[in-house]
Amino acid sequence: MYKFKIVVLIILFSSTKISAQSLFGSNNYIEYSIGNLPIVISVPHGGYMQPSNIPNRTCNNAVNVSDANTIELAKSIDSSFYFLTGCRPHIIYCNLHRAKLDCNRNLLDGACNNQQAEISWNEFHSFIDTAQTLAKNAFDGKAFYIDLHGHGNPIQRLELGYLLYDNELSLPDSTINTNQFINYSSIKNLVTNNTNSLSHSQLLRGSYSLGTLFGNAGYPAVPSTQIPSPGTTSNYYSGGYNIANHTSYLNNNTVNGLQIECNFNNVRDNYLNRKSFADSLAMVVLYYLNFHQNLNFTNCNLSGIVTQNKCSDFSIINNVIKLYEDIYIHKISPIMHSYSISDNQGRIILNGKIDNSNSIKTDKIRNSGIYYLSITNKEYSKNFKLLIIE
């Protein structure tokens, strides 16, 4: 499937070598995990490698603190997308420690005039460009970019950076919706090309913004309906070099995207929390792209968690549904199936039999959040994770 594309990539990067579905830059300092979704993720500050031939960065008041566990988080995100769709995002990792290379700065500040660091910086950004080109070619010109980070701010919430500063997010919607502020935005293209004709402020902090969807999933985020602006004293991260240079903020770039600064507690701190957040992020982003750009992923294989040896190939139509919306099941056999829906604490909220409509009513669920659906018969059971939003 990727044979031709990989050959093209080898020509573009003469120093790269291939391992499975990944490309590596020189000395394996940069890694590009090739995907087939219209989603590109970069991880610039999570690396561990500290080769002695690259001196620690000291130029221009260099910041050398790494973002703990962001590479591990990105790998969980990759697995979650694959679990939900059978396809993977494109992911670009910087395996060098930030003390050696900062891929979210310009070349001078990021590499501090070290030749090897400059080579790796160029590979990182070239891989992003290539991934976005492949994604757009496969999805009618549409691609979504996430620059993944971790912050150390004491307020435990996601900080979503669209290149608007904290004081700008405090402005009224009418101001944020003017051309001046739309032109500052990393989702500038989405403002003029979203299916539901939503305004800039609605895309930033309305009911169907990423921040609000994350909040509904149990992960507070700013900006969102729940937290419209960060305030001007919280050291909020509005986005950096990567977002300014690889999104529609840049003229002639149609890719929409943002920087996600992940808090540590409950998101990055341990494997189980990373996995839970990764599942939620994958569901939120898939829903977001479908809702705003009519992107669907029917060519990928929806899947569930098989808990016994025998299973059916049925799946649910959508892992993200609205409150009181029915859950529809695809390709389920006519034999009798039971179901149960549990909340995040394991309490059964709904249970019953699946009738001939191949759907499950959720009218007794009153709150948005993460839920778990189990469908069983005498021979097998299959479990799905759901995100129910308002």
Side-chain angles (χ1 to χ4, degrees):
M1 180 177 180
Y2 283 103
K3 185 175 180 181
F4 174 73
K5 293 177 181 176
I6 289 175
V7 171
V8 173
L9 289 169
I10 293 173
I11 294 171
L12 289 173
F13 306 108
S14 59
S15 62
T16 62
K17 56 185 177 181
I18 302 172
S19 175
Q21 290 298 311
S22 289
L23 293 172
F24 290 87
S26 59
N27 300 303
N28 295 342
Y29 293 156
I30 306 298
E31 177 183 354
Y32 169 25
S33 176
I34 304 168
N36 44 8
L37 287 169
I39 298 162
V40 178
I41 301 171
S42 60
V43 191
H45 293 161
Y48 296 98
M49 300 173 71
Q50 300 194 56
S52 59
N53 63 311
I54 301 178
N56 286 354
R57 297 168 52 249
T58 58
C59 64
N60 298 332
N61 299 312
V63 176
N64 291 339
V65 178
S66 64
D67 291 353
N69 298 338
T70 49
I71 284 181
E72 293 84 351
L73 178 59
K75 290 183 183 296
S76 289
I77 290 169
D78 177 62
S79 297
S80 295
F81 275 113
Y82 184 75
F83 169 75
L84 288 172
T85 68
C87 293
R88 298 186 183 279
H90 301 261
I91 306 182
I92 297 89
Y93 302 95
C94 177
N95 291 321
L96 283 170
H97 192 280
R98 192 178 182 185
K100 304 296 182 179
L101 176 64
D102 190 336
C103 288
N104 193 33
R105 297 290 188 273
N106 63 53
L107 178 60
L108 179 61
D109 291 347
C112 291
N113 291 314
N114 177 268
Q115 184 177 11
Q116 178 58 66
E118 289 179 352
I119 290 171
S120 297
W121 187 96
N122 280 306
E123 289 171 340
F124 183 88
H125 289 280
S126 293
F127 279 142
I128 293 174
D129 290 338
T130 299
Q132 290 188 352
T133 298
L134 294 178
K136 287 189 292 183
N137 287 346
F139 286 86
D140 195 27
K142 299 172 184 175
F144 190 71
Y145 172 53
I146 296 171
D147 196 35
L148 189 68
H149 293 260
H151 71 73
N153 289 344
I155 304 174
Q156 296 299 300
R157 64 188 182 189
L158 304 174
E159 297 181 359
L160 309 184
Y162 299 92
L163 299 178
L164 296 174
Y165 297 127
D166 48 13
N167 62 315
E168 294 171 334
L169 288 171
S170 298
L171 296 170
D173 290 348
S174 57
T175 303
I176 288 176
N177 288 334
T178 62
N179 287 335
Q180 176 185 354
F181 289 92
I182 293 172
N183 286 329
Y184 293 160
S185 178
S186 60
I187 54 170
K188 178 170 59 175
N189 175 265
L190 189 63
V191 177
T192 55
N193 293 282
N194 71 85
T195 306
N196 301 284
S197 301
L198 298 181
S199 68
H200 188 208
S201 63
Q202 288 173 315
L203 293 169
L204 291 173
R205 57 193 180 197
S207 298
Y208 297 98
S209 66
L210 268 181
T212 301
L213 294 173
F214 277 125
N216 289 342
Y219 296 96
V222 60
S224 62
T225 297
Q226 300 93 335
I227 314 173
S229 64
T232 56
T233 60
S234 65
N235 197 27
Y236 160 78
Y237 293 96
S238 62
Y241 180 89
N242 292 345
I243 294 302
N245 285 274
H246 295 289
T247 68
S248 58
Y249 169 80
L250 197 67
N251 289 336
N252 301 318
N253 188 332
T254 61
V255 175
N256 298 294
L258 78 164
Q259 178 172 302
I260 301 183
E261 289 275 355
C262 300
N263 49 288
F264 190 72
N265 296 345
N266 200 41
V267 175
R268 292 183 287 132
D269 49 353
N270 60 57
Y271 170 77
L272 290 178
N273 283 341
R274 289 194 296 271
K275 183 178 184 302
S276 181
F277 174 70
D279 288 346
S280 296
L281 181 145
M283 287 191 288
V284 162
V285 170
L286 291 172
Y287 180 84
Y288 178 89
L289 294 178
N290 178 261
F291 184 84
H292 292 299
Q293 292 193 291
N294 201 28
L295 280 167
N296 65 74
F297 310 96
T298 53
N299 290 330
C300 298
N301 298 315
L302 295 171
S303 59
I305 306 171
V306 180
T307 56
Q308 293 186 17
N309 291 331
K310 288 187 174 182
C311 70
S312 169
D313 64 351
F314 68 82
S315 60
I316 58 178
I317 299 298
N318 199 339
N319 291 77
V320 183
I321 61 172
K322 296 180 184 179
L323 277 173
Y324 313 119
E325 186 177 69
D326 291 352
I327 302 168
Y328 291 97
I329 305 158
H330 181 57
K331 291 185 178 179
I332 195 164
S333 60
I335 62 176
M336 183 63 71
H337 288 80
S338 301
Y339 72 88
S340 65
I341 298 178
S342 304
D343 64 15
N344 225 3
Q345 297 179 345
R347 297 174 298 195
I348 295 178
I349 307 299
L350 289 174
N351 59 64
K353 304 291 185 182
I354 298 175
D355 60 24
N356 293 332
S357 69
N358 292 345
S359 63
I360 299 171
K361 295 190 177 300
T362 64
D363 53 320
K364 292 184 180 179
I365 297 177
R366 298 288 185 262
N367 299 309
S368 60
I370 296 291
Y371 292 86
Y372 298 89
L373 166 65
S374 178
I375 299 175
T376 63
N377 67 13
K378 292 181 179 180
E379 295 184 324
Y380 57 79
S381 65
K382 204 169 185 181
N383 300 322
F384 300 89
K385 192 171 183 179
L386 304 171
L387 172 60
I388 297 181
I389 64 173
E390 295 179 358

XYZ file of all heavy atoms in Angstrom, residues 252-326:
608
model
N -1.123 30.157 2.108
C -1.028 29.059 1.140
C -0.944 27.677 1.784
O -0.685 26.687 1.098
C 0.176 29.251 0.193
C 0.090 30.543 -0.588
O -0.985 30.912 -1.064
N 1.216 31.236 -0.712
N -1.148 27.596 3.099
C -1.237 26.298 3.775
C -2.703 26.094 4.186
O -3.284 26.958 4.841
C -0.330 26.265 5.003
C -0.234 24.880 5.618
O -1.142 24.075 5.526
N 0.887 24.607 6.268
N -3.290 24.977 3.794
C -4.707 24.727 4.102
C -4.898 23.829 5.323
O -6.026 23.518 5.685
C -5.401 24.060 2.897
O -4.765 22.810 2.611
C -5.355 24.953 1.669
N -3.808 23.416 5.962
C -3.906 22.493 7.096
C -4.349 23.253 8.348
O -3.777 24.287 8.699
C -2.553 21.805 7.361
C -2.617 20.933 8.616
C -2.149 20.972 6.152
N -5.363 22.744 9.014
C -5.788 23.305 10.290
C -5.117 22.536 11.420
O -4.831 21.344 11.282
C -7.308 23.215 10.429
C -8.018 24.021 9.367
O -7.928 25.247 9.346
N -8.704 23.342 8.453
N -4.863 23.214 12.526
C -4.199 22.515 13.611
C -4.058 23.362 14.850
O -4.499 24.513 14.905
N -3.414 22.770 15.851
C -3.230 23.451 17.128
C -2.144 22.759 17.928
O -1.749 21.632 17.632
C -4.524 23.464 17.945
C -4.908 22.166 18.673
C -5.973 22.457 19.720
C -5.382 21.075 17.729
N -1.663 23.468 18.926
C -0.734 22.896 19.895
C -1.557 22.423 21.085
O -2.400 23.159 21.599
C 0.283 23.949 20.335
C 1.283 23.480 21.383
C 2.364 24.507 21.624
O 3.076 24.892 20.703
N 2.478 24.982 22.858
N -1.325 21.194 21.525
C -1.982 20.690 22.729
C -0.929 20.533 23.809
O -0.019 19.714 23.698
C -2.697 19.349 22.482
C -3.762 19.493 21.391
C -3.338 18.854 23.786
C -4.559 18.217 21.132
N -1.040 21.360 24.848
C -0.190 21.251 26.026
C -0.944 20.419 27.055
O -1.974 20.838 27.586
C 0.115 22.647 26.586
C 1.055 23.472 25.732
C 2.518 23.171 26.039
O 2.781 22.385 26.978
O 3.394 23.735 25.348
N -0.441 19.223 27.314
C -1.125 18.284 28.199
C -0.639 18.446 29.637
O 0.573 18.462 29.889
C -0.873 16.848 27.743
S -1.456 16.494 26.080
N -1.566 18.548 30.559
C -1.197 18.539 31.966
C -0.669 17.161 32.357
O -0.855 16.176 31.636
C -2.381 18.934 32.846
C -3.654 18.172 32.506
O -4.259 18.430 31.472
N -4.045 17.243 33.361
N 0.004 17.077 33.495
C 0.644 15.825 33.905
C -0.339 14.894 34.602
O -0.523 13.749 34.184
C 1.827 16.132 34.825
C 2.690 14.926 35.109
C 3.521 14.403 34.127
C 2.661 14.320 36.356
C 4.319 13.295 34.377
C 3.459 13.219 36.622
C 4.286 12.703 35.635
N -1.002 15.385 35.645
C -1.900 14.538 36.417
C -3.066 14.064 35.556
O -3.711 14.844 34.856
C -2.451 15.294 37.629
C -1.369 15.672 38.621
O -0.255 15.141 38.570
N -1.672 16.593 39.527
N -3.318 12.764 35.598
C -4.467 12.161 34.928
C -4.343 12.099 33.414
O -5.225 11.580 32.738
C -5.766 12.907 35.294
C -7.012 12.077 35.048
O -7.025 10.883 35.345
N -8.045 12.691 34.509
N -3.246 12.611 32.852
C -3.056 12.578 31.398
C -1.738 11.911 31.025
O -1.713 10.983 30.224
C -3.125 13.999 30.796
C -2.803 13.976 29.304
C -4.511 14.600 31.018
N -0.621 12.375 31.600
C 0.704 11.866 31.221
C 1.383 11.057 32.313
O 2.441 10.485 32.085
C 1.628 13.041 30.874
C 1.280 13.805 29.613
C 2.329 14.892 29.340
N 2.239 16.010 30.245
C 3.257 16.556 30.896
N 4.481 16.059 30.767
N 3.077 17.589 31.697
N 0.811 10.995 33.510
C 1.563 10.532 34.671
C 1.816 9.029 34.719
O 2.812 8.591 35.281
C 0.900 10.990 35.971
C -0.587 10.708 36.015
O -1.154 10.276 34.995
O -1.201 10.930 37.078
N 0.938 8.216 34.148
C 1.179 6.764 34.156
C 0.513 6.124 32.950
O -0.275 6.761 32.238
C 0.695 6.115 35.464
C -0.790 6.297 35.700
O -1.621 5.913 34.875
N -1.152 6.881 36.840
N 0.821 4.854 32.732
C 0.365 4.174 31.526
C -1.154 4.158 31.412
O -1.714 4.458 30.336
C 0.890 2.740 31.502
C 0.260 1.902 30.412
C 0.662 2.039 29.083
C -0.766 1.001 30.703
C 0.068 1.290 28.074
C -1.368 0.253 29.700
C -0.943 0.406 28.394
O -1.543 -0.329 27.407
N -1.852 3.825 32.482
C -3.304 3.715 32.412
C -3.952 5.061 32.108
O -4.906 5.138 31.322
C -3.855 3.135 33.713
C -3.537 1.658 33.966
C -4.098 1.212 35.319
C -4.101 0.776 32.848
N -3.445 6.119 32.721
C -3.998 7.444 32.435
C -3.675 7.897 31.021
O -4.505 8.541 30.363
C -3.479 8.462 33.447
C -4.177 8.341 34.795
O -5.263 7.763 34.885
N -3.560 8.866 35.840
N -2.464 7.576 30.549
C -2.142 7.911 29.146
C -3.072 7.164 28.202
O -3.556 7.732 27.212
C -0.680 7.576 28.846
C 0.316 8.502 29.508
C 1.712 8.353 28.920
N 2.286 7.037 29.148
C 3.008 6.704 30.211
N 3.217 7.589 31.176
N 3.533 5.493 30.326
N -3.316 5.908 28.462
C -4.196 5.113 27.599
C -5.616 5.668 27.605
O -6.256 5.787 26.558
C -4.199 3.657 28.053
C -5.031 2.735 27.175
C -4.955 1.293 27.654
C -5.719 0.363 26.702
N -7.141 0.744 26.565
N -6.120 6.012 28.780
C -7.482 6.546 28.868
C -7.607 7.872 28.130
O -8.558 8.099 27.375
C -7.875 6.724 30.340
O -9.192 7.207 30.456
N -6.616 8.755 28.324
C -6.661 10.035 27.619
C -6.510 9.836 26.118
O -7.191 10.494 25.324
C -5.570 10.971 28.134
C -5.481 12.257 27.348
C -6.483 13.205 27.433
C -4.405 12.496 26.496
C -6.426 14.389 26.684
C -4.327 13.668 25.757
C -5.342 14.613 25.855
N -5.631 8.939 25.713
C -5.428 8.679 24.282
C -6.718 8.198 23.635
O -7.062 8.626 22.524
C -4.321 7.645 24.092
N -7.443 7.318 24.313
C -8.728 6.864 23.779
C -9.685 8.032 23.598
O -10.368 8.149 22.574
C -9.361 5.832 24.723
C -8.657 4.490 24.691
O -7.859 4.245 23.770
O -8.914 3.667 25.599
N -9.732 8.898 24.600
C -10.634 10.048 24.524
C -10.210 11.007 23.421
O -11.051 11.523 22.669
C -10.675 10.779 25.874
O -11.227 9.952 26.876
N -8.907 11.267 23.312
C -8.435 12.164 22.257
C -8.787 11.616 20.883
O -9.263 12.368 20.008
C -6.922 12.369 22.377
C -6.293 13.319 21.346
C -5.146 14.115 21.963
C -5.774 12.580 20.108
N -8.578 10.329 20.671
C -8.884 9.749 19.360
C -10.363 9.892 19.037
O -10.734 10.274 17.916
C -8.460 8.283 19.325
N -11.228 9.589 19.999
C -12.667 9.713 19.756
C -13.063 11.159 19.501
O -13.857 11.452 18.596
C -13.436 9.141 20.946
C -13.392 7.630 21.033
S -14.541 6.931 22.246
C -13.749 7.394 23.766
N -12.518 12.076 20.293
C -12.847 13.492 20.132
C -12.407 14.006 18.761
O -13.180 14.670 18.057
C -12.190 14.315 21.266
C -12.134 15.795 20.902
C -12.958 14.133 22.565
N -11.182 13.702 18.358
C -10.663 14.218 17.086
C -11.424 13.614 15.903
O -11.749 14.324 14.938
C -9.149 13.959 16.972
C -8.644 14.258 15.566
C -8.400 14.811 17.991
N -11.741 12.333 15.960
C -12.505 11.717 14.872
C -13.881 12.352 14.745
O -14.354 12.638 13.636
C -12.627 10.215 15.101
C -11.332 9.404 14.959
C -11.560 7.969 15.410
C -10.798 9.444 13.538
N -14.528 12.568 15.876
C -15.840 13.227 15.851
C -15.708 14.651 15.318
O -16.513 15.099 14.486
C -16.443 13.247 17.248
C -17.800 13.919 17.304
C -18.957 13.204 17.001
C -17.917 15.271 17.624
C -20.199 13.826 17.036
C -19.154 15.892 17.660
C -20.290 15.163 17.365
O -21.518 15.778 17.390
N -14.704 15.377 15.772
C -14.464 16.767 15.375
C -14.276 16.872 13.863
O -14.880 17.733 13.202
C -13.238 17.258 16.123
C -12.772 18.662 15.837
C -13.266 19.738 16.570
C -11.788 18.924 14.880
C -12.809 21.028 16.347
C -11.330 20.205 14.651
C -11.848 21.250 15.381
O -11.393 22.536 15.161
N -13.476 15.993 13.297
C -13.219 16.042 11.857
C -14.447 15.654 11.045
O -14.701 16.205 9.975
C -12.041 15.131 11.500
C -10.684 15.557 12.053
C -9.608 14.544 11.681
C -10.292 16.941 11.565
N -15.216 14.715 11.572
C -16.437 14.337 10.879
C -17.463 15.456 10.941
O -18.109 15.790 9.940
C -17.006 13.056 11.480
C -18.310 12.640 10.808
O -19.395 12.900 11.329
N -18.206 11.997 9.663
N -17.609 16.067 12.098
C -18.623 17.115 12.287
C -18.284 18.372 11.502
O -19.153 18.970 10.869
C -18.753 17.444 13.775
C -19.840 18.434 14.089
C -21.148 18.015 14.243
C -19.554 19.788 14.217
C -22.162 18.929 14.520
C -20.555 20.706 14.495
C -21.873 20.272 14.648
N -17.027 18.778 11.520
C -16.658 20.069 10.927
C -16.244 19.975 9.463
O -16.376 20.955 8.729
C -15.520 20.712 11.721
C -15.916 21.147 13.091
N -16.902 22.083 13.325
C -15.471 20.756 14.319
C -17.046 22.270 14.628
N -16.185 21.475 15.247
N -15.742 18.797 9.041
C -15.249 18.699 7.667
C -15.828 17.509 6.915
O -15.377 17.197 5.810
C -13.714 18.620 7.668
C -13.054 19.912 8.127
C -11.574 19.920 7.829
O -10.805 19.168 8.427
N -11.164 20.757 6.895
N -16.811 16.867 7.521
C -17.484 15.741 6.873
C -16.506 14.633 6.493
O -16.691 13.915 5.509
C -18.250 16.200 5.636
C -19.346 15.233 5.236
O -19.903 14.529 6.072
N -19.639 15.167 3.952
N -15.445 14.494 7.268
C -14.484 13.421 7.043
C -14.965 12.165 7.753
O -15.296 12.196 8.937
C -13.102 13.808 7.578
C -12.264 14.728 6.691
C -11.087 15.277 7.470
C -11.781 13.981 5.463
N -15.044 11.071 7.029
C -15.388 9.804 7.669
C -14.308 8.788 7.338
O -13.494 8.986 6.445
C -16.770 9.315 7.231
C -16.816 8.966 5.761
O -16.295 7.945 5.336
N -17.465 9.829 4.966
N -14.328 7.714 8.081
C -13.232 6.766 8.001
C -13.766 5.360 7.761
O -13.321 4.383 8.353
C -12.392 6.845 9.283
C -12.016 8.264 9.604
C -12.763 9.011 10.491
C -10.958 8.878 8.965
C -12.446 10.329 10.759
C -10.629 10.193 9.220
C -11.371 10.927 10.113
N -14.755 5.275 6.852
C -15.397 3.994 6.572
C -14.455 3.025 5.868
O -14.705 1.826 5.852
C -16.648 4.203 5.701
O -16.286 4.960 4.535
C -17.713 4.958 6.463
N -13.383 3.530 5.275
C -12.427 2.627 4.637
C -11.518 1.939 5.651
O -10.767 1.036 5.315
C -11.560 3.391 3.631
C -12.367 3.824 2.426
O -13.319 3.169 2.052
N -11.985 4.941 1.822
N -11.575 2.416 6.903
C -10.814 1.777 7.966
C -11.723 0.787 8.685
O -12.943 0.883 8.614
C -10.302 2.822 8.961
S -9.186 4.028 8.209
N -11.137 -0.156 9.364
C -11.905 -1.202 10.024
C -12.216 -0.813 11.451
O -11.325 -0.747 12.296
C -11.113 -2.517 10.021
C -10.844 -3.007 8.621
O -11.741 -2.991 7.784
N -9.617 -3.437 8.366
N -13.504 -0.533 11.748
C -13.894 -0.299 13.125
C -13.727 -1.590 13.907
O -13.961 -2.676 13.397
C -15.359 0.154 13.193
C -15.654 1.502 12.548
C -17.145 1.727 12.482
C -15.007 2.607 13.334
N -13.318 -1.485 15.142
C -13.078 -2.690 15.916
C -13.478 -2.500 17.355
O -13.650 -1.396 17.834
C -11.591 -3.083 15.854
O -10.792 -2.033 16.349
N -13.634 -3.604 18.048
C -13.923 -3.594 19.472
C -12.893 -4.421 20.194
O -11.959 -4.946 19.614
N -13.037 -4.538 21.508
C -12.138 -5.363 22.295
C -12.785 -6.726 22.457
O -13.833 -6.866 23.073
C -11.896 -4.747 23.684
C -11.408 -3.301 23.546
C -10.909 -5.574 24.473
C -11.365 -2.574 24.861
N -12.207 -7.767 21.909
C -12.759 -9.107 21.999
C -12.354 -9.711 23.334
O -11.177 -9.764 23.668
C -12.250 -9.991 20.844
C -12.840 -11.382 20.942
C -12.604 -9.358 19.514
N -13.319 -10.169 24.110
C -13.008 -10.678 25.436
C -13.155 -12.188 25.534
O -12.897 -12.758 26.574
C -13.920 -10.017 26.481
O -15.286 -10.233 26.112
C -13.671 -8.534 26.554
N -13.591 -12.859 24.472
C -13.614 -14.310 24.442
C -13.115 -14.777 23.081
O -12.900 -13.985 22.175
C -15.027 -14.846 24.730
C -15.475 -14.556 26.167
C -16.804 -15.206 26.484
O -17.250 -16.101 25.787
N -17.432 -14.738 27.549
N -12.938 -16.077 22.929
C -12.299 -16.597 21.726
C -13.108 -16.363 20.465
O -12.578 -16.030 19.422
C -12.016 -18.090 21.892
C -10.924 -18.344 22.919
O -10.060 -17.497 23.100
N -10.978 -19.470 23.592
N -14.420 -16.570 20.533
C -15.247 -16.388 19.344
C -15.791 -14.979 19.299
O -16.124 -14.384 20.314
C -16.421 -17.377 19.356
C -16.021 -18.815 19.086
C -17.272 -19.658 18.950
C -16.922 -21.076 18.536
N -18.145 -21.895 18.349
N -15.911 -14.436 18.106
C -16.458 -13.087 18.004
C -17.125 -12.896 16.660
O -16.924 -13.657 15.728
C -15.376 -12.025 18.197
S -14.198 -11.921 16.862
N -17.930 -11.860 16.583
C -18.569 -11.460 15.337
C -17.833 -10.233 14.815
O -17.110 -9.572 15.546
C -20.042 -11.137 15.592
O -20.616 -10.515 14.474
N -18.041 -9.907 13.539
C -17.377 -8.733 12.982
C -18.235 -7.484 13.106
O -17.958 -6.477 12.468
C -17.011 -8.977 11.516
C -18.230 -9.164 10.619
O -19.346 -9.282 11.161
O -18.054 -9.194 9.389
N -19.290 -7.499 13.951
C -20.123 -6.316 14.081
C -19.341 -5.189 14.760
O -18.350 -5.405 15.454
C -21.408 -6.626 14.851
C -21.214 -6.962 16.310
C -21.060 -5.959 17.254
C -21.225 -8.276 16.742
C -20.891 -6.256 18.586
C -21.067 -8.587 18.067
C -20.894 -7.574 19.004
N -19.813 -3.976 14.541
C -19.186 -2.806 15.145
C -20.254 -1.766 15.397
O -21.389 -1.888 14.905
C -18.113 -2.238 14.210
O -18.697 -1.863 12.974
N -19.929 -0.755 16.183
C -20.849 0.361 16.349
C -20.510 1.423 15.309
O -19.361 1.551 14.882
C -20.808 0.939 17.779
C -19.407 1.393 18.151
C -21.310 -0.079 18.776
C -19.321 2.020 19.529
N -21.534 2.145 14.875
C -21.354 3.108 13.789
C -20.464 4.271 14.222
O -19.633 4.756 13.479
C -22.716 3.635 13.300
C -23.557 2.475 12.762
C -22.551 4.707 12.239
C -22.957 1.759 11.579
N -20.612 4.720 15.465
C -19.864 5.886 15.929
C -19.568 5.732 17.408
O -20.469 5.412 18.183
C -20.672 7.166 15.681
C -19.805 8.408 15.708
O -18.712 8.397 16.263
N -20.293 9.498 15.120
N -18.329 5.947 17.806
C -17.961 5.887 19.223
C -18.297 7.174 19.963
O -18.208 7.212 21.191
C -16.470 5.606 19.377
C -16.091 4.204 18.946
O -15.997 3.929 17.751
N -15.893 3.303 19.896
N -18.637 8.223 19.244
C -19.013 9.500 19.856
C -20.457 9.791 19.492
O -20.809 9.879 18.314
C -18.111 10.648 19.370
C -18.468 11.938 20.077
C -16.643 10.303 19.589
N -21.305 9.918 20.499
C -22.726 10.188 20.247
C -23.189 11.310 21.175
O -22.543 11.609 22.183
C -23.598 8.929 20.465
C -23.491 8.454 21.919
C -23.218 7.824 19.507
C -24.456 7.345 22.260
N -24.315 11.905 20.829
C -24.895 12.946 21.659
C -25.812 12.327 22.711
O -26.297 11.202 22.559
C -25.700 13.925 20.797
C -24.870 14.694 19.793
C -25.751 15.642 18.998
C -24.951 16.358 17.922
N -25.806 17.265 17.120
N -26.017 13.066 23.797
C -26.963 12.634 24.810
C -28.321 12.313 24.175
O -28.810 13.062 23.313
C -27.149 13.727 25.863
C -26.115 13.796 26.997
C -26.356 15.037 27.838
C -26.149 12.542 27.858
N -28.896 11.188 24.560
C -30.207 10.717 24.111
C -30.209 10.199 22.675
O -31.255 9.841 22.143
C -31.279 11.811 24.279
C -31.248 12.488 25.619
C -31.005 13.849 25.722
C -31.428 11.752 26.786
C -30.949 14.475 26.967
C -31.375 12.362 28.034
C -31.138 13.734 28.115
O -31.071 14.337 29.340
N -29.056 10.171 22.029
C -28.971 9.646 20.671
C -28.793 8.131 20.727
O -28.094 7.602 21.589
C -27.766 10.290 19.966
C -27.628 9.953 18.498
C -26.457 10.704 17.871
O -25.301 10.391 18.204
O -26.703 11.606 17.061
N -29.448 7.415 19.804
C -29.341 5.961 19.788
C -27.958 5.512 19.310
O -27.297 6.194 18.522
C -30.404 5.352 18.861
C -31.821 5.504 19.408
O -31.966 5.934 20.572
O -32.773 5.212 18.665
